[in-house]
């Protein structure tokens, strides 16, 4: 018998939200009045942000519909991974604004179990997300070398992925503003 098993695969969850209109409305109530600012640590032409790794915009701004929607996607993602948890904590969340010429450098989300992003405002060519291979040694193998994976997403989509996965956002080449909402999650696991 012949078989090929994928070892140490990296899961990426991608889905449209179920309550798109309600979630968009909930975000629109806060996005219009928040003070986006550049973070000098990230360098010139990087994105503008509201919030940071020490804040939780979901809790501060009471995004009830989004939090409930997110819960259902975390449950689906975890079930597909055969991962059982007692509860989870949204450790941090923030909103990022990408105007023409803005991008996000390659980074990861440290010790978060799952990181994610929801696309509130998005159009073509406003900067695709890309993921860097978590297996740097694969660069030495011609048949396994794939330095990064680029993903074109749509407004209303949600991505969930391991916090250790390095990623970035290509330059927004349009006159349109791109707005996304990112978050980090930590689990309290069920002890067997």
């Amino acid at each position: 018998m012949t078989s090929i098993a994928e070892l140490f695969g990296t899961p990426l969850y991608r889905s449209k939200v179920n309550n798109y209109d309600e979630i968009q409305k909930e975000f629109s109530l806060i996005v219009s009045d928040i003070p986006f600012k550049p973070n000098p640590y990230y360098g010139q032409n990087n994105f503008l942000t509201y919030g940071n790794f020490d804040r939780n915009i979901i809790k501060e701004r009471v995004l009830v519909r989004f939090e409930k929607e997110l819960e259902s996607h975390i449950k689906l993602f975890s079930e597909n991974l055969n991962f059982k948890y007692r509860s989870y904590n949204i450790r941090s969340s923030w909103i990022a604004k990408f105007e023409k010429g803005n991008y996000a450098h390659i980074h990861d989300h440290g010790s978060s179990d799952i990181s994610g992003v929801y696309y509130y405002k998005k159009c073509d060519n406003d900067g695709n997300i890309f993921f860097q291979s978590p297996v740097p040694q694969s660069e030495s193998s011609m048949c396994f070398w794939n330095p990064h994976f680029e993903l074109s997403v749509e407004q209303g989509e949600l991505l969930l992925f391991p916090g250790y996965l390095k990623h970035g956002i290509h330059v927004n080449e349009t006159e349109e503003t791109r707005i996304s909402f990112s978050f980090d999650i930590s689990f309290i696991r069920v002890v067997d």
Side-chain angles (χ1 to χ4, degrees):
M1 182 171 113
T2 304
S3 69
I4 296 177
E6 285 198 36
L7 299 178
F8 312 114
T10 304
L12 172 67
Y13 178 92
R14 178 180 186 179
S15 180
K16 284 280 207 176
V17 293
N18 296 314
N19 298 310
Y20 174 78
D21 291 333
E22 292 88 0
I23 289 169
Q24 289 293 103
K25 187 181 207 180
E26 190 173 60
F27 275 107
S28 69
L29 293 173
I30 65 166
V31 168
S32 60
D33 71 342
I34 59 175
F36 287 101
K37 337 183 248 199
N39 185 327
Y41 172 76
Y42 295 138
Q44 191 176 11
N45 286 336
N46 231 289
F47 63 93
L48 304 170
T49 187
Y50 174 66
N52 54 39
F53 298 125
D54 299 327
R55 292 179 67 180
N56 190 338
I57 304 306
I58 291 176
K59 299 293 184 192
E60 288 177 25
R61 293 298 185 133
V62 193
L63 296 167
V64 177
R65 288 182 180 97
F66 179 74
E67 191 169 7
K68 187 174 181 181
E69 177 80 21
L70 180 58
E71 184 177 348
S72 69
H73 291 280
I74 290 170
K75 184 178 178 191
L76 279 172
F77 187 39
S78 298
E79 286 172 357
N80 280 296
L81 295 172
N82 272 335
F83 177 74
K84 293 183 174 94
Y85 61 92
R86 185 175 340 137
S87 62
Y88 63 87
N89 178 39
I90 300 171
R91 293 184 353 186
S92 59
S93 58
W94 61 97
I95 301 173
K97 182 177 179 182
F98 295 78
E99 295 176 336
K100 186 172 184 174
N102 290 153
Y103 66 94
H105 65 287
I106 294 175
H107 63 284
D108 62 48
H109 291 221
S111 62
S112 67
D113 292 318
I114 291 179
S115 293
V117 59
Y118 172 72
Y119 294 90
Y120 167 70
K121 187 175 180 191
K122 174 91 178 79
C123 70
D124 291 337
N125 300 319
D126 63 0
N128 286 340
I129 189 170
F130 63 93
F131 298 93
Q132 196 173 48
S133 172
V135 185
Q137 293 81 0
S138 66
E139 292 178 17
S140 65
S141 172
M142 192 163 301
C143 61
F144 296 110
W145 186 62
N146 186 7
H148 76 273
F149 175 77
E150 185 172 323
L151 192 59
S152 177
V153 294
E154 297 176 5
Q155 187 168 297
E157 276 195 86
L158 175 76
L159 300 180
L160 300 173
F161 50 89
Y164 65 76
L165 189 59
K166 290 190 179 296
H167 57 285
I169 311 297
H170 287 299
V171 174
N172 182 353
E173 298 175 355
T174 72
E175 300 295 331
E176 299 293 321
T177 299
R178 172 189 189 273
I179 299 176
S180 56
F181 175 76
S182 299
F183 47 88
D184 289 331
I185 294 166
S186 291
F187 287 105
I188 297 170
R189 188 172 182 163
V190 171
V191 179
D192 294 328

